[in-house]
Amino acid sequence: MTASVPIRIAIVDDHPMVAEGIQAILESYDDIKVIATLSTGQDIIDQSERLDPDVILLDLNMPGIGGLSTTEILLERRPDMRILILSMHDSPEYISSALSHGAMGYVLKDVPTEEIKQAIDTVMRGERYLCTGAEGSLNPDGSDAREQLTNREQTILLQLAQGKSNKEVALELDISVRTVETHRKNIKRKLGISSTAGLTRYALEHGVLQGTGVSL
């Protein structure tokens, strides 16, 4: 039998002791390889293509580009990127914002070692992961709040609601058609809408198209 390929992890945290501690924890697992420890959002934005990590462990509060903006930029370039937020903040605002910006999971820095590993394994399967503390803070009654659209998704919703095709939106925003298609799919999933007409109606009802002259 051949050994399985280890999960490639990039850690992004501006506190060296934290990054080194997480690295030491993760490297105790045979199926994980830490390929980089970086200190800023700009570092991972610049190096993500070269490093090609399977999962990025990303802090929220960093100098320069914060974790939320970093997440959005990384996913704009590669929508299938797996980003796991590792933070000390357990407030619902932080957690819901991270998820709405496209993070696949949220883990508090004080969780047991095995929970960080569980989070990585979960997002590698394409599933969302919230640690116990984060899940309790976000949904204390067990309910599941609707995900919010990111700024980029709102921009694309506006373009689509005006009747533009995926190709036209891609040209307008200087992104690939595939990226537009991925955003379109995520917008429909988040809003529970299946048709373009439904997107247009939603945009009108929520003021997205205000001042554009578009009507149904």
Side-chain angles (χ1 to χ4, degrees), residues 30-41:
D30 293 336
D31 60 344
I32 285 182
K33 179 179 181 180
V34 177
I35 58 173
T37 56
L38 307 170
S39 59
T40 70

Side-chain angles (χ1 to χ4, degrees), residues 140-155:
D141 61 352
S143 63
D144 190 16
R146 171 175 284 187
E147 293 181 69
Q148 301 298 308
L149 298 183
T150 66
N151 292 335
R152 175 59 89 179
E153 286 169 346
Q154 291 179 34
T155 300

Side-chain angles (χ1 to χ4, degrees), residues 149-165 169 172-173 187 191 196 199-200 202-204 207-214:
L149 298 183
T150 66
N151 292 335
R152 175 59 89 179
E153 286 169 346
Q154 291 179 34
T155 300
I156 290 175
L157 171 59
L158 172 60
Q159 301 282 328
L160 295 173
Q162 290 176 322
K164 294 181 180 178
S165 67
V169 175
E172 177 76 20
L173 301 179
I187 291 167
L191 299 181
T196 300
L199 291 178
T200 303
Y202 175 92
L204 282 167
V208 176
L209 290 172
Q210 187 173 1
T212 65
V214 174

Side-chain angles (χ1 to χ4, degrees), residues 56-135:
I56 296 174
L57 297 186
L58 183 65
D59 190 17
L60 279 182
N61 298 114
M62 297 179 291
I65 303 175
L68 295 180
S69 296
T70 299
T71 297
E72 195 163 355
I73 292 169
L74 289 172
L75 292 175
E76 185 68 41
R77 296 181 177 182
R78 208 180 94 187
D80 61 347
M81 181 82 71
R82 300 177 183 91
I83 297 177
L84 183 61
I85 299 297
L86 197 59
S87 175
M88 68 177 66
H89 301 289
D90 63 354
S91 69
E93 293 79 13
Y94 276 99
I95 301 166
S96 61
S97 291
L99 296 177
S100 70
H101 278 73
M104 290 188 66
Y106 196 103
V107 177
L108 300 176
K109 288 184 177 180
D110 59 357
V111 300
T113 301
E114 59 270 17
E115 188 157 6
I116 298 177
K117 178 61 164 63
Q118 182 181 352
I120 292 171
D121 290 340
T122 300
V123 300
M124 279 296 294
R125 294 195 300 269
E127 302 171 11
R128 189 177 82 170
Y129 186 90
L130 294 178
C131 72
T132 304
E135 192 168 35

